[in-house]
Amino acid sequence: MTNSGNHMTADEFRRHGRTVVDWIADYMQRVEELPVLSRSQPGEVQAALPSAPPDEGEPFDRILADLDEVVVPGLTHWQSPNFFGYFPANTSGPSILGELVSAGLGVQGMLWSTSPACTELETRVLDWVVDLLGLPERFRSDGPGGGVIQDSASSATLCALLAARHRTGGGDARQMTVYASEQAHSSVEKAARIAGFAYDAVRFVQTDAAFAMDPRALNDTVAADVRDGFTPCMVTATVGTTGSNAIDPVGEIARVCRDHETWLHVDAAMSGTAGVCPEFRWLHNGVEAADSYCFNPHKWMFTNFDCDCFYVADREPLVAALSILPEYLRNNATVSGEVVDYRDWQVPLGRRFRALKLWFVIRHYGVEGLRRHVRRHVELAQQFAQWVQDDPDWELAVDPPLNLVCLRHRAGDAVTEAVLQRANATGRMFVTHTRLDGRYVIRVSIGQTHTEQRHVEQAWCLLRDSAAAVLAEP
Amino acid sequence: MTNSGNHMTADEFRRHGRTVVDWIADYMQRVEELPVLSRSQPGEVQAALPSAPPDEGEPFDRILADLDEVVVPGLTHWQSPNFFGYFPANTSGPSILGELVSAGLGVQGMLWSTSPACTELETRVLDWVVDLLGLPERFRSDGPGGGVIQDSASSATLCALLAARHRTGGGDARQMTVYASEQAHSSVEKAARIAGFAYDAVRFVQTDAAFAMDPRALNDTVAADVRDGFTPCMVTATVGTTGSNAIDPVGEIARVCRDHETWLHVDAAMSGTAGVCPEFRWLHNGVEAADSYCFNPHKWMFTNFDCDCFYVADREPLVAALSILPEYLRNNATVSGEVVDYRDWQVPLGRRFRALKLWFVIRHYGVEGLRRHVRRHVELAQQFAQWVQDDPDWELAVDPPLNLVCLRHRAGDAVTEAVLQRANATGRMFVTHTRLDGRYVIRVSIGQTHTEQRHVEQAWCLLRDSAAAVLAEP
């Protein structure tokens, strides 16, 4: 059975498009029943796929059938309400449809002129987000600063570092140093490597009892580096570390940065979203002194990957670090200086219309809707933490500031790890781990779109049942 | 009129999803009638958008209405069959629906374990593409090499450079040099800047009469740099330059690279797709000696942005340059060494399921379908070139090897530029320009999915009519 290999007509697209929309709606309705962590073994999916591309086109229905037969069993279901691993990468109907419109329009926003709406909608929505999260006015586009959508916080951190390197003088990156807490995300080290810093250029600053950066330790480290002839280039403060959701004291870190004329980047990839609720805006205390800031709507704000909002207080060093204008991109609007060309704010040249999905999400939910859902996740996490505290067999590794609960069994690391493996093997929940102070910790990250009380209760039951089973083993 | 700010239910998603599918199908059917280059003025789209996010959620229909009223007039229509600017960024029904499935599943492929199918389908499809384009076997995943999807050729070039820098010894990038022809894409220079090379580290090698890199000039430049104490790190050969579609002589360049132990990266972003046709595989002569290669299905292979296929002959230096394994990402599969974790092959950590759309495209068209469409674009371009040659007022700037026609009016640069501006202002076509040998050249890039003979004929008529009008001006 083959098809013609002709282009899909608009009417065929209508028909197949409906089928795909229904397929996704069905997936949404059944994802809760699927084992969260894929049970696929290495090589299994590949073995189910032909070794060569088809000579003739295949009917669309057969491709969709393979989605069910080959692809779905090989998925770890990030959109399951029973997914509590890593950080969430949640999504929502309006976001998926925004992504669909973006794919359907197929415009390239590398330059303002290559689709003015792609640039201007992004600028406007990123200004909205400044309001939405209570971020400092200096990140708005109507002054020297502004925001842009990056694929990920990793890329945002890299761009921040490139701007910082430029502002520091564009000199030899191998004599420059970079600072982040020992709990910071691996993307800081990766960015420094990519940008040509020495392999040991990143200083991992000591943290306090809550795993937040100790600003005195930062100051001492920076001062020692200056004495030793290094040039401090950038400090990354993390608002919500991956390990334990620790919140670095941005205000105190900013004072150290100011004293040493060092770029301050704030990575709020996960927790920034909580800023939609006024009662959580303490998170952003001190951010008004930061040079750059990022958070990921694709983590906790119902916007599908990829969508990171990256802000700079001054766009000049960022653009200076990344702008090259070859003849074939020269155009009247760019030359006039009246417009923003976002290609100069990122690593790639091309860019798709990602602002659409964020615009769809914010308009669908409204500020109040977003607040309600974020509050609910935090409430569920706080309730989970209370259950842990009330259970003599378990303990919290840290007090959860928001929606991440870090816990361990009192019987020790081996039992905690065995409990995690056993609970994940049920397929009815998925959690991941980290180590804090060298001890094994289960992370329960609550932020999937459709996670409700009953899913959280089930997860807690499964963890306790798994512990009972592990402890009963000979 | 507000909505509840609740999550969109599966049934609401079905309903709104159908509306969006129909909206896109309607757009496909009317895009030909829209002015190709947006007539929006700077600030116009922003002014049509509220200055603050809505407090309460808005009905989906109102969001869609704003697509028509605010967004579409601000678009430059890349999917118009009358779009001949830059390089194409074409798309197709199966690709859009693949992207939709990816957004609907919302899985994260950063690690094999976070969705085995996301990794293994990508590996398999990238092996298919080796067959499809007639690429060397060494790029297949069953040896030391393999392929990965990047967002863009810019990122692929950056990753190639990072791997090359690592293989060159990971030493001081500021003493390393990078080579590309003076017609190469700006992404080479951008990658070198990002990776911490000196601002003047990129050597722009002389080109021949056809604007292809002169391998003797390359050899002389490399040898001089070695004498001066520099370490040659990477040469980028371009298969299809952005300016004029020039094809660098990869085989001869490879010999220079071998003599100097320099990484050879081949950037076939646009023209690689032509390799689907056996008669155009001469393009890839010499690629068997390359260390890395990339091309963009999102340019000419009916796959919506972003989708760049990036191959390495040896994945070890790439992974060594980019891998960092924090505790929170540690998992049994990674530790076993049996699987590929694609996060180590790219700049960001997170990654969406981009292989789906490429899989959908290859299966929908089949090898023969892709060949037919690519051949047709090349035929249309060759025909266009013949019209130019047959017209005494116009001349080709170069013989078009494939689907890009570079032409100029014999009355000189000012007239050629005025013709371009006038033709674009009609809204019935869109072309961009470059300069070759210092002279202004109109580029007619033929590769949009629905471009047919009549669109190309109309474009040629419009250029000639515009010339007549320009020359008739006082």
Side-chain angles (χ1 to χ4, degrees), chain A residues 3-7 10 13-14 18 20 22 24-27 29 38 40 42-46 49-52 54-58 60 63 66 71 74-76 78-79 86 96-97 100-101 103 105-108 112-117 120-121 123-124 128 151-152 154 162 165 171-172 174 185-186 189-190 193-196 242 302 305 320-324 327-328 330 343 346-352 359-360 363-368 372-373 433 435 449, chain B residues 3-7 10 13-14 18 20 22 24-27 29 38 40 42-46 49-52 54-58 60 63 66 71 74-76 78-79 86 96-97 100-101 103 105-108 112-117 120-121 123-124 128 151-152 154 162 165 171-172 174 185-186 189-190 193-196 242 302 305 320-324 327-328 330 343 346-352 359-360 363-368 372-373 433 435 449:
Chain A
N3 81 12
S4 61
N6 287 339
H7 296 304
F13 179 80
R14 278 179 221 275
R18 284 179 178 214
V20 172
D22 282 336
I24 292 170
D26 292 342
Y27 177 77
Q29 289 177 315
S38 175
S40 191
E44 203 173 328
V45 172
Q46 275 214 63
L49 295 164
S51 60
D55 281 335
E56 304 293 333
E58 297 181 67
F60 198 75
I63 305 174
D66 280 348
V71 173
L75 297 178
T76 293
W78 285 69
Q79 302 313 318
Y86 306 105
I96 296 167
L97 297 178
L100 172 57
V101 172
L105 294 174
V107 301
Q108 260 286 2
W112 177 89
S113 68
T114 62
S115 266
E120 295 197 13
L121 181 68
T123 302
R124 178 51 55 108
W128 282 9
D151 60 359
S152 65
S154 297
L162 297 172
R165 190 184 70 186
D172 185 353
R174 298 182 67 81
H185 194 264
S186 53
E189 195 179 346
K190 193 165 176 175
R193 269 203 214 171
I194 290 168
T242 308
F302 314 109
F305 190 89
L322 289 169
S323 180
I324 299 168
E327 183 64 30
Y328 48 78
R330 197 173 284 273
R343 74 184 181 99
Q346 62 175 21
V347 171
L349 169 59
R351 57 201 326 269
R352 69 191 204 286
W359 188 51
F360 275 39
R363 294 187 66 180
H364 170 83
Y365 287 104
V367 176
E368 289 301 331
R372 199 163 68 240
H373 299 300
H433 81 286
R435 282 180 187 273
T449 307
Chain B
N3 83 12
S4 62
N6 287 339
H7 297 302
F13 179 81
R14 279 179 221 277
R18 285 181 177 212
V20 171
D22 282 336
I24 292 171
D26 292 342
Y27 177 77
Q29 289 176 315
S38 174
S40 191
E44 201 172 329
V45 172
Q46 275 213 65
L49 295 164
S51 60
D55 281 335
E56 304 292 334
E58 297 181 67
F60 198 76
I63 305 174
D66 280 347
V71 173
L75 298 178
T76 292
W78 285 69
Q79 301 313 318
Y86 306 106
I96 295 167
L97 297 178
L100 172 57
V101 172
L105 294 174
V107 301
Q108 259 286 0
W112 177 88
S113 68
T114 61
S115 268
E120 294 196 14
L121 181 67
T123 301
R124 178 51 56 108
W128 283 8
D151 59 1
S152 63
S154 297
L162 297 172
R165 192 184 68 186
D172 185 353
R174 298 181 67 80
H185 193 264
S186 54
E189 194 179 346
K190 193 165 176 176
R193 270 204 213 172
I194 291 168
T242 307
F302 314 109
F305 190 90
L322 290 168
S323 181
I324 298 168
E327 183 64 29
Y328 49 77
R330 196 173 285 272
R343 73 184 183 98
Q346 63 175 21
V347 171
L349 169 59
R351 58 202 324 271
R352 69 190 205 285
W359 189 50
F360 276 38
R363 295 187 66 179
H364 169 84
Y365 287 103
V367 176
E368 289 300 331
R372 199 163 68 240
H373 300 301
H433 80 287
R435 283 181 187 273
T449 307

Side-chain angles (χ1 to χ4, degrees), chain A residues 61-115:
Chain A
D61 295 345
R62 195 195 288 174
I63 305 174
L64 278 189
D66 280 348
L67 272 187
D68 286 313
E69 285 160 34
V70 179
V71 173
V72 170
L75 297 178
T76 293
H77 299 285
W78 285 69
Q79 302 313 318
S80 169
N82 300 313
F83 183 99
F84 304 103
Y86 306 105
F87 275 149
N90 68 21
T91 184
S92 64
S95 175
I96 296 167
L97 297 178
E99 187 78 271
L100 172 57
V101 172
S102 171
L105 294 174
V107 301
Q108 260 286 2
M110 58 187 182
L111 301 170
W112 177 89
S113 68
T114 62
S115 266

Side-chain angles (χ1 to χ4, degrees), chain B residues 208-231:
Chain B
D208 63 18
F211 304 102
M213 189 191 285
D214 176 349
R216 277 170 307 183
L218 171 66
N219 190 60
D220 293 348
T221 310
V222 172
D225 282 334
V226 170
R227 271 198 308 275
D228 293 345
F230 291 103
T231 307

Side-chain angles (χ1 to χ4, degrees), chain A residues 78-348:
Chain A
W78 285 69
Q79 302 313 318
S80 169
N82 300 313
F83 183 99
F84 304 103
Y86 306 105
F87 275 149
N90 68 21
T91 184
S92 64
S95 175
I96 296 167
L97 297 178
E99 187 78 271
L100 172 57
V101 172
S102 171
L105 294 174
V107 301
Q108 260 286 2
M110 58 187 182
L111 301 170
W112 177 89
S113 68
T114 62
S115 266
C118 183
T119 293
E120 295 197 13
L121 181 68
E122 184 162 328
T123 302
R124 178 51 55 108
V125 171
L126 272 95
D127 281 348
W128 282 9
V129 170
V130 170
D131 283 3
L132 187 66
L133 301 193
L135 292 173
E137 293 288 308
R138 66 201 303 227
F139 290 145
R140 289 180 58 91
S141 66
D142 42 14
V148 64
I149 297 179
Q150 301 271 344
D151 60 359
S152 65
S154 297
S155 295
T157 299
L158 174 59
C159 288
L161 187 59
L162 297 172
R165 190 184 70 186
H166 181 87
R167 199 180 69 177
T168 309
D172 185 353
R174 298 182 67 81
Q175 284 304 309
M176 294 184 191
T177 45
V178 175
Y179 306 81
S181 94
E182 54 198 13
Q183 292 289 326
H185 194 264
S186 53
S187 57
V188 177
E189 195 179 346
K190 193 165 176 175
R193 269 203 214 171
I194 290 168
F197 288 68
Y199 263 54
D200 56 358
V202 181
R203 315 310 198 198
F204 299 101
V205 180
Q206 273 192 325
T207 52
D208 63 19
F211 305 101
M213 189 191 285
D214 176 350
R216 277 169 309 182
L218 171 66
N219 190 60
D220 293 349
T221 310
V222 172
D225 282 334
V226 170
R227 271 197 308 274
D228 293 345
F230 291 103
T231 307
C233 178
M234 182 170 95
V235 177
T236 296
T238 309
V239 170
T241 59
T242 308
S244 69
N245 214 350
I247 315 287
D248 287 348
V250 180
E252 292 173 74
I253 292 168
R255 279 190 283 279
V256 177
C257 290
R258 195 189 49 208
D259 291 348
H260 296 277
E261 292 180 358
T262 303
W263 187 285
L264 174 57
H265 175 61
V266 175
D267 173 2
M270 168 63 192
S271 299
T273 294
V276 299
C277 303
E279 68 271 30
F280 300 132
R281 291 211 175 141
W282 55 267
L283 282 171
H284 288 141
N285 286 348
V287 170
E288 62 279 3
D291 296 290
S292 56
Y293 170 92
C294 75
F295 91 108
N296 295 349
H298 73 227
K299 282 196 162 63
W300 192 15
M301 214 169 86
F302 314 109
T303 307
N304 64 289
F305 190 89
D306 44 7
C307 186
D308 165 273
C309 295
F310 174 56
Y311 292 93
V312 287
D314 178 8
R315 53 188 180 255
E316 196 280 325
L318 178 67
V319 171
L322 289 169
S323 180
I324 299 168
L325 182 61
E327 183 64 30
Y328 48 78
L329 297 179
R330 197 173 284 273
N331 66 89
N332 297 339
T334 296
V335 172
S336 78
E338 283 183 72
V339 300
V340 162
D341 290 326
Y342 274 132
R343 74 184 181 99
D344 295 330
W345 297 50
Q346 62 175 21
V347 171

